[in-house]
Amino acid sequence: MSRIDWTSHQGGPLRGEITVPGDKSVSHRSLMFGALAEGTSHIRGFLEGEDTRATAAILGKLGVRFETPAPGERIVHGVGLHGLRGTADTLDCGNAGTGMRLLAGLLAGQAFDSTLVGDESLSRRPMRRVTDPLGEMGAQIDTNDGKPPLHIHGGRKLKGITYHPPVASAQIKSALLLAGLYADGTTEVIEPHPTRDYTESMLKAFGWPIEYSPGKAKLDGGHTLRAVDVDVPADFSSAAFFIVAACIVPGSELRLKAVGLNPRRTGLLAALELMGADITVENERTSGGEDIADLVVRYRRLHGVALPLDIVPDMIDEFPALFVAAAAAEGMTTIRGAAELRVKESDRIASMANGLKACGVLIDELPDGAMIRGGQIHGGTIDSHGDHRIAMSFAIAGLLASGPIVIGDCANVATSFPGFMELANGVGFNLGPVR
Ligand code: S3P
C-alpha cells in the first residue's frame, strides 16, 4: 500500500448533516452469518471498508458467492453450515482483528485446514485469547508464538465449554460462539463486563436458538441458520470523530443521522456528558433490532474528568477521539483501566500520548491509561502508526491547533472509514493530503 500523509489545518465551525458509513462489527458478522445460512441474505448499509471487504474476499475463496447490486449492498448466497469449501490459498484478513478472530472460531469447525494471515499490524496482535479457549473446545490452531499467521486444522471434533474470558472482548465471545455452532453440547461465555452483543442478536435473527443477556451468552451446536436481510446501522465509532470535533470547535452544530446506539458502544456519550458536552438524541427508533437515532452535537466548552472505570469497555474504540476531547478541555482528564488499548491496531495509549506531546499537550502515559492536561494544542508532526483511529483523531485535533498537524501513514483510514476526508471537509474540516 502506498504511503499517504495528511495535513490538518485549523477549521470549523462544523455545520451540516452527515451520515457516516455502515457499522464495521455488524458488516463483518452479516457476511459470516449470511454465508453460513441456508438461502439468500440482502445486506444494506454494508461498510465498503478494507476490513470488511477482506472478510468478503475470504468467504469468496471458501466458495461463497456475493453480488454487489450497489455500493453498500451485498447479496450473500448462503452455502449452509457445512457448505464452505477448503482452499490452498492463504486467507488474508488485512488489518482486521475482528475478521481474524471471528473467522478463527468459524474455521475451527470446518472439515478442511485453513491459514489466516494479516498485515504488519495484525501480525503483532495477540491471538492466544481466542486460540487457547478454542483449543479447550478441541480445535487445533498453530500460531507464531501466539501471533498470526493462524494455521487452523480441519476435521477436529469440537465440544462446548463454559468459558470466562479474562478480558471483556466481543471478539473472544464471538469466536467461541461461532465455533459453538459446530460443537457437540453447549457453549457458554460469561464475561467480566458485558460487550457488544451483535453476534448474539444476529444469530437469533438468523434463527439459531440462543440465550443471552448482558455479559452472558449460551447456545447449543447442531441447528440451522436461515437467511435474513440485514440493515447495517451507521457506525457509532466512525460518528465518534465528528461528535468530538463538534464538541470542541467553537460555533459548531452538527447532525449525525441514523447512528447505531447499541448500549455497549456508546460509553463516549456518557463520558462527554460528564465533561459537559451538549449532545441531543433525536428521532430514536429501531432498525434491524438495533437502536438508532440522530445525534445533534453543539459546541460547548468541556472540562476534564476522572473517567469512571465501568464505562471503559463501552467505549473501547473511542479512546483516541476522547484523548483529543481531553486535550481540548479545561483541566485534567484521567483515564484508567484501558490497558486493552495497547493491543489494538497500534498501541493506542502510546500513539496518542506521543502524538499529543508532539503537539505540545501535557500528558502522562500510564500503563492502563493516561493523565491529560487540557489546554492549547499546537501544530506538530505525528505518526499514526498506520492506525485508522489515530489518524482520524489527529485530523480533529488539527481543527483547533495553533499550527498545522502533519499526520503520517493515513492510508488505513480506508479500513473503517472510506471517504472520511471528503465528508470531513464538507462540514468544515480543513484536511488535505501532503504532496
Ligand atoms: C469488535 C470488538 C472490539 C472492538 C473492535 C470490533 C467486534 O474488540 O475493539 O473494533 O466487532 O467484535 P474487542 O472485543 O477485542 O475489545
Side-chain angles (χ1 to χ4, degrees):
M1 193 191 296
S2 59
R3 189 181 159 101
I4 297 172
D5 298 339
W6 287 350
T7 307
S8 180
H9 296 269
Q10 225 176 55
L14 305 180
R15 292 193 166 258
E17 282 193 1
I18 52 173
T19 307
V20 301
D23 189 274
K24 183 153 70 73
S25 296
V26 176
S27 294
H28 277 297
R29 287 163 173 80
S30 62
L31 293 173
M32 294 182 201
F33 292 124
L36 298 180
E38 315 263 339
T40 301
S41 304
H42 196 147
I43 308 172
R44 293 182 183 81
F46 177 74
L47 170 64
E48 296 287 358
E50 286 169 4
D51 278 12
T52 42
R53 286 181 174 184
T55 291
I58 288 173
L59 293 166
K61 283 189 175 182
L62 298 172
V64 181
R65 205 161 58 77
F66 295 97
E67 290 172 64
T68 304
E73 286 188 42
R74 288 294 182 282
I75 294 172
V76 191
H77 295 273
V79 295
L81 205 60
H82 298 284
L84 296 178
R85 286 193 318 258
T87 170
D89 289 357
T90 54
L91 305 173
D92 189 354
C93 300
N95 193 242
T98 307
M100 183 170 281
R101 296 199 178 107
L102 270 58
L103 285 168
L106 189 164
L107 292 170
Q110 306 301 322
F112 51 83
D113 285 17
S114 37
T115 302
L116 293 170
V117 299
D119 70 1
E120 206 185 307
S121 150
L122 184 53
S123 300
R124 287 194 299 267
R125 296 180 66 187
M127 292 296 146
R128 283 207 178 102
R129 53 179 57 201
V130 291
T131 58
D132 282 354
L134 290 172
E136 277 182 45
M137 294 177 76
Q140 192 186 340
I141 304 179
D142 306 330
T143 65
N144 174 21
D145 200 20
K147 310 260 162 65
L150 303 183
H151 181 70
I152 303 163
H153 295 256
R156 308 280 303 181
K157 205 167 162 45
L158 304 184
K159 60 174 191 323
I161 59 169
T162 296
Y163 189 64
H164 296 257
V167 288
S169 161
Q171 296 182 356
I172 300 177
K173 171 177 63 179
S174 302
L176 267 66
L177 294 176
L178 277 155
L181 306 183
Y182 293 92
D184 281 341
T186 306
T187 300
E188 184 172 16
V189 183
I190 301 169
E191 302 184 288
H193 185 283
T195 64
R196 64 192 73 188
D197 57 2
Y198 300 120
T199 299
E200 298 90 310
S201 58
M202 222 178 277
L203 278 167
K204 186 173 164 205
F206 277 81
W208 195 282
I210 176 164
E211 276 176 43
Y212 67 99
S213 58
K216 282 190 185 167
K218 186 173 167 181
L219 56 73
D220 286 339
H223 297 281
T224 304
L225 293 167
R226 284 186 307 275
V228 285
D229 294 346
V230 179
D231 284 312
V232 182
D235 197 321
F236 182 84
S237 298
S238 296
F241 300 103
F242 290 96
I243 295 171
V244 168
C247 282
I248 64 174
V249 179
S252 297
E253 178 170 342
L254 196 61
R255 176 180 291 265
L256 292 143
K257 288 164 65 183
V259 181
L261 292 183
N262 182 297
R264 300 275 73 87
R265 298 287 298 283
T266 50
L268 177 74
L269 295 181
L272 290 171
E273 195 173 312
L274 288 173
M275 296 172 84
D278 179 357
I279 303 173
T280 53
V281 179
E282 295 184 2
N283 296 329
E284 287 174 81
R285 55 218 192 263
T286 58
S287 167
E290 286 294 321
D291 295 338
I292 64 169
D294 297 351
L295 299 177
V296 180
V297 188
R298 296 182 184 88
Y299 166 75
R300 193 192 276 159
R301 184 100 175 102
L302 302 181
H303 55 80
V305 289
L307 200 69
L309 285 179
D310 61 338
I311 63 173
V312 167
D314 294 343
M315 53 177 297
I316 198 65
D317 290 336
E318 284 61 71
F319 276 98
L322 183 80
F323 273 57
V324 176
E330 203 173 306
M332 180 76 88
T333 294
T334 308
I335 298 164
R336 303 300 309 255
E340 270 295 292
L341 296 177
R342 296 208 180 267
V343 292
K344 293 293 179 188
E345 285 83 329
S346 70
D347 174 342
R348 287 185 172 157
I349 296 177
S351 300
M352 287 308 300
N354 293 336
L356 287 173
K357 274 182 202 156
C359 298
V361 176
L362 295 176
I363 173 166
D364 284 325
E365 197 177 323
L366 304 170
D368 61 344
M371 290 172 72
I372 304 161
R373 162 86 53 204
Q376 176 64 54
I377 303 173
H378 294 286
T381 297
I382 74 101
D383 186 347
S384 80
H385 297 278
D387 183 332
H388 54 139
R389 300 202 198 284
I390 304 297
M392 290 185 275
S393 296
F394 280 98
I396 309 172
L399 284 165
L400 278 188
S402 58
I405 298 184
V406 177
I407 312 162
D409 206 1
C410 299
N412 275 340
V413 168
T415 61
S416 70
F417 205 148
F420 172 77
M421 186 188 286
E422 296 71 19
L423 202 61
N425 285 340
V427 291
F429 280 62
N430 195 356
L431 185 63
V434 175
R435 296 191 197 278

